[in-house]
Amino acid sequence: MTERIFEIEEDVDLRVLYGVNNVNIRTVKDLVPQVNLVARGRTIKLSGEERDVETLVENLETLVDIAMKTNALDERQVVDVLKGNEVMVEKVDNEILHGVGGRIITAKTENQRALAEEYEKNDLLIAVGPAGSGKTYTAIALAVGALKNKEVKKIILSRPAVEAGEKLGFLPGDMKDKIDPYLQPLYDALEDMIPQAKLAEYMEKKTIQIAPLAFMRGRTLSNAVVILDEAQNTSVPQIKMFLTRLGYGSKMIVTGDLTQVDLPKEQKSGLRDAVEVLRDVKGVSIVEFNHRDIVRHQLVTRIIEAYNKREKQ
């Protein structure tokens, strides 16, 4: 008789692995009755004949791998793994990661693909372009993918709170409550990619951090993907301060739309300045999105084209 303790990594969503009402665990017990299995949280205790236990441990490792990579695990896949059948995990071109429910998130347009490719080669990316072109969504997908693949230990999200003058003192609640209204688009993207319970756990453990731009000074951000959204609303000193937070093992992605600057007219956008200053710096990639990348309602493209036409006139 052999006993083994199988520990499940923190990054694995137990709701996905165990299934609704523990259906996946029950399936394992039904198909491998010769091994006694007791699951408690992230610990699974196995006992039985050594060969049976070791085989089940290998199968559990495969199930954990599928759950982590695809954010989904159904009863059919469990059966296939336990019976030794090949489990096909759908792979598509330009795939970044599997989102909630196993939905595949891809780089859909030419410049989204360019952003994903440049991410592999550079530590600082600047993505500029119109609303709806997917620059922020793609940036967050790349960050979540890096976290899931253990390339980084955390994700840090920041966005200038222009309406509150970056003081953040006029809104009720703690720091997170104050900055949340400005970061809602980032939350929307995260909720597409990480199951709700797991996202809450990441937030609680600060694996995913909300860092208001005004509070970034003095920090060194290592082993992280750091995203600055709506960077067109930063001042030149603010974006310089932010960019110099980059630490070892980290990547930064800065996104913004230079046609939607909310700063006073006499103040130069920090994003515009950064694009000018850093264009030829080694290790920095600037990806310029355009109306052809817009993936929202087709009317959004026509609206942006109309405004651009008037500005040119």
Side-chain angles (χ1 to χ4, degrees):
M1 182 71 72
T2 297
E3 287 192 356
R4 281 285 301 272
I5 300 296
F6 184 83
E7 295 288 351
I8 302 166
E9 297 178 48
E10 289 290 329
D11 291 337
V12 180
D13 189 332
L14 293 181
R15 295 189 184 190
V16 172
L17 180 64
Y18 288 178
V20 178
N21 297 322
N22 293 326
V23 63
N24 293 338
I25 290 294
R26 293 202 308 272
T27 300
V28 173
K29 289 181 177 181
D30 291 343
L31 291 179
V32 193
Q34 64 271 30
V35 176
N36 183 49
L37 183 153
V38 178
R40 293 281 187 275
R42 296 194 172 275
T43 300
I44 298 178
K45 185 177 180 180
L46 307 167
S47 60
E49 294 298 325
E50 182 177 2
R51 183 176 178 180
D52 295 330
V53 170
E54 294 303 322
T55 299
L56 184 52
V57 167
E58 292 176 4
N59 289 335
L60 288 174
E61 289 173 346
T62 300
L63 294 174
V64 165
D65 189 54
I66 295 171
M68 282 189 63
K69 288 181 177 178
T70 68
N71 267 337
L73 182 65
D74 59 36
E75 191 176 355
R76 175 186 53 80
Q77 291 173 311
V78 174
V79 171
D80 283 342
V81 168
L82 295 177
K83 289 187 173 182
N85 300 330
E86 184 178 2
V87 178
M88 300 299 294
V89 176
E90 185 180 2
K91 181 79 175 177
V92 300
D93 291 339
N94 306 310
E95 176 184 319
I96 300 177
L97 80 159
H98 285 73
V100 173
R103 184 172 71 87
I104 299 175
I105 294 172
T106 63
K108 296 179 179 178
T109 70
E110 181 180 349
N111 284 312
Q112 288 179 16
R113 292 190 289 273
L115 187 63
E117 291 168 3
E118 292 300 316
Y119 175 86
E120 300 297 327
K121 298 182 284 187
N122 298 279
D123 289 338
L124 172 60
L125 291 89
I126 300 176
V128 295
S133 55
K135 54 191 183 297
T136 299
Y137 194 88
T138 305
I140 292 178
L142 291 168
V144 173
L147 183 65
K148 290 181 66 174
N149 293 333
K150 300 185 186 301
E151 296 166 12
V152 295
K153 293 182 179 179
K154 55 184 178 284
I155 297 172
I156 299 171
L157 306 174
S158 189
R159 204 180 197 209
V162 171
E163 293 83 354
E166 278 293 339
K167 295 179 182 179
L168 305 177
F170 301 103
L171 298 173
D174 60 17
M175 185 191 299
K176 181 177 179 299
D177 294 329
K178 294 173 189 290
I179 197 68
D180 270 359
Y182 305 102
L183 291 165
Q184 192 56 50
L186 306 185
Y187 283 122
D188 292 343
L190 286 170
E191 288 169 357
D192 267 4
M193 302 171 197
I194 304 173
Q196 194 169 20
K198 190 64 184 176
L199 179 57
E201 182 182 326
Y202 277 149
M203 299 289 290
E204 183 180 351
K205 294 184 177 180
K206 299 189 181 301
T207 302
I208 296 178
Q209 300 177 20
I210 304 302
L213 187 57
F215 287 75
M216 294 289 284
R217 188 177 301 277
R219 297 187 66 183
T220 300
L221 308 173
S222 302
N223 300 309
V225 178
V226 190
I227 296 175
L228 175 61
D229 191 35
E230 297 290 336
Q232 75 275 4
N233 288 328
T234 61
S235 65
V236 174
Q238 279 178 325
I239 201 164
K240 181 181 176 182
M241 176 274 292
F242 176 84
L243 295 176
T244 53
R245 302 305 96 202
L246 184 65
Y248 288 108
S250 289
K251 288 182 181 268
M252 274 187 173
I253 308 177
V254 177
T255 68
D257 179 0
L258 289 172
T259 68
Q260 294 188 10
V261 178
D262 298 319
L263 298 170
K265 288 186 177 181
E266 67 277 6
Q267 187 172 5
K268 186 176 184 179
S269 165
L271 178 60
R272 186 180 301 279
D273 188 70
V275 169
E276 295 170 0
V277 172
L278 302 176
R279 187 173 290 279
D280 298 320
V281 174
K282 185 179 180 180
V284 178
S285 176
I286 299 173
V287 180
E288 299 186 42
F289 288 66
N290 55 55
H291 68 276
R292 289 189 296 273
D293 296 298
I294 294 174
V295 291
R296 291 180 185 169
H297 194 289
Q298 60 182 354
L299 184 57
V300 174
T301 302
R302 297 200 292 269
I303 290 171
I304 290 173
E305 288 175 344
Y307 274 97
N308 289 341
K309 182 178 179 180
R310 188 185 70 174
E311 288 173 5
K312 288 178 182 178
Q313 290 174 345

